[in-house]
Amino acid sequence: MDIEDRYFKNISSRERVIFEGAITMGALFHQFVGTPVNSENAETLEKSIKEAMELQPCIEEVEVKIDRKMLEEAKSKFNYVSLNGDMLDIRVVSKYADKKAVLRMEYIEELKYPLMYVEDINE
Amino acid sequence: MDIEDRYFKNISSRERVIFEGAITMGALFHQFVGTPVNSENAETLEKSIKEAMELQPCIEEVEVKIDRKMLEEAKSKFNYVSLNGDMLDIRVVSKYADKKAVLRMEYIEELKYPLMYVEDINE
Amino acid sequence: MDIEDRYFKNISSRERVIFEGAITMGALFHQFVGTPVNSENAETLEKSIKEAMELQPCIEEVEVKIDRKMLEEAKSKFNYVSLNGDMLDIRVVSKYADKKAVLRMEYIEELKYPLMYVEDINE
Amino acid sequence: MDIEDRYFKNISSRERVIFEGAITMGALFHQFVGTPVNSENAETLEKSIKEAMELQPCIEEVEVKIDRKMLEEAKSKFNYVSLNGDMLDIRVVSKYADKKAVLRMEYIEELKYPLMYVEDINE
């Protein structure tokens, strides 16, 4: 079976990189939010999120930054917190044919919301 | 702040519905996979997935079907299973301005993979 | 195979209800934290969490309360939030042989932490 | 506030290590099931699960093994799978006062179920 032909010929290459990048963004958030984290394991967690999400179709690179300052502030008496979306700054680079998109998630104070958007995409 | 202007003017309305629908598809999968399920609670679970995911930006409707036959076959000695992607058939309808997309996730036997794709989108 | 004999004869019935209740408590938290929620779908979500977690071994009853006031306060511009542990008040009742335990999770302001503990257990 | 006094004086130290170990076992399963994995990122994922779960109260050590053979067999056309409980072999060591417990989760073919039990506990 030619998957491309059967399932993806109704969208352009540009639309495809948006599609695949966005799936990975939503997936990343809902897979890892809740994970116990503090400054000791933050780096390993960033790396494992990156490596896991780079396995998804058309994903070329994933960058994950967990806000160390927010980790410190949120810390409970038990010395760690549950990872939440506000602490995350994510870049997902997706590629298909000659198209490449950079998707971003960052917490926007004004919206009280970790916003996902297309930061960059080639024409 | 005008969010649309600041974060989304680099993509078209058609690209936007693909973007928002795909985020929700990835999110849904990774939020709910692992949930204990059998034929008794499957309907409530479908409904709660639907209602939760319909809250996301630009999402008009979500349909969730958990395969009852697969539930039966996978059932352990303890009479339930962990929800997995192979049991899910999902439709996400996203809308923005005059554009509407129907995204689908279904298990494709040939690929051994629950494939996400754009099932329908207006021109 | 007699599971009880093979895997559980090294702990008492009292220890068993603590064991099974605690598994369900940890499972519940990490399965559902992150789910999109507002006052519209909170009741359905509570019900689906309850029904799913009651499937686990030795679990007799699960009560889930999502704090409506915290939902309102945390609400983003997009009119919903990601469920977090601070909003949850949970009771898990586990039963084995003649023993019964009530486990509780509630947010303790002083600890900045959703604490899990054994609220009640018969001698 | 003395947490121990207020919330945990109704259970023994032995019961406490069972309680804390079991929470971590349930948490681990439901946090990480669904994560994309193949032989390339399995080691990083094991390490990040270990480090995250060792942050929880009374947890001294966590060992995580993802079955490489099952990873290969389950692999889809896209060259990775969603982590599921059947692939996991987990040991959680919990400690409180003079008590120590080793909890285990392993897939039991006969039960078609990843069983959690107390593997060892001092008297």
Side-chain angles (χ1 to χ4, degrees), chain D residues 53-71:
Chain D
M53 302 321 291
E54 286 179 351
L55 295 180
Q56 303 222 136
C58 306
I59 303 305
E60 191 169 80
E61 199 187 347
V62 176
E63 278 179 73
V64 180
K65 281 184 210 153
I66 300 170
D67 190 314
R68 302 301 195 274
K69 215 177 130 213
M70 289 183 77
L71 280 191

Side-chain angles (χ1 to χ4, degrees), chain C residues 19-73:
Chain C
F19 177 74
E20 300 290 355
I23 288 172
T24 289
M25 202 53 110
L28 188 162
F29 185 99
H30 290 270
Q31 183 63 57
F32 293 102
V33 159
T35 305
V37 62
N38 67 15
S39 55
E40 287 167 56
N41 73 319
E43 198 176 328
T44 304
L45 183 56
E46 287 169 341
K47 189 174 176 236
S48 82
I49 295 174
K50 173 191 172 66
E51 289 185 11
M53 301 321 291
E54 286 178 352
L55 295 179
Q56 303 224 135
C58 306
I59 303 305
E60 192 170 80
E61 199 189 346
V62 175
E63 279 179 73
V64 181
K65 281 185 209 150
I66 299 170
D67 189 315
R68 301 301 195 274
K69 216 179 128 212
M70 288 182 77
L71 278 191
E72 279 311 305
E73 287 165 8

Side-chain angles (χ1 to χ4, degrees), chain C residues 1 3 7-8 10 14-15 18-19 22-23 26-27 30-31 56-57 103 108 110-111 113 115-118, chain D residues 1 3 7-8 10 14-15 18-19 22-23 26-27 30-31 57 103 108 110-111 113 115-118:
Chain C
M1 173 171 52
I3 310 169
Y7 294 105
F8 295 107
N10 59 342
R14 193 179 135 108
E15 288 163 350
I18 293 173
F19 177 74
I23 288 172
H30 290 270
Q31 183 63 57
Q56 303 224 135
L103 279 71
I108 310 288
E110 211 175 327
L111 306 175
Y113 190 81
L115 190 71
M116 300 176 185
Y117 59 96
V118 178
Chain D
M1 173 170 54
I3 310 169
Y7 294 105
F8 295 107
N10 60 341
R14 194 179 134 109
E15 288 164 350
I18 292 174
F19 177 75
I23 288 172
H30 290 270
Q31 182 64 57
L103 279 72
I108 310 288
E110 212 174 328
L111 307 174
Y113 191 80
L115 189 71
M116 299 176 187
Y117 59 95
V118 178

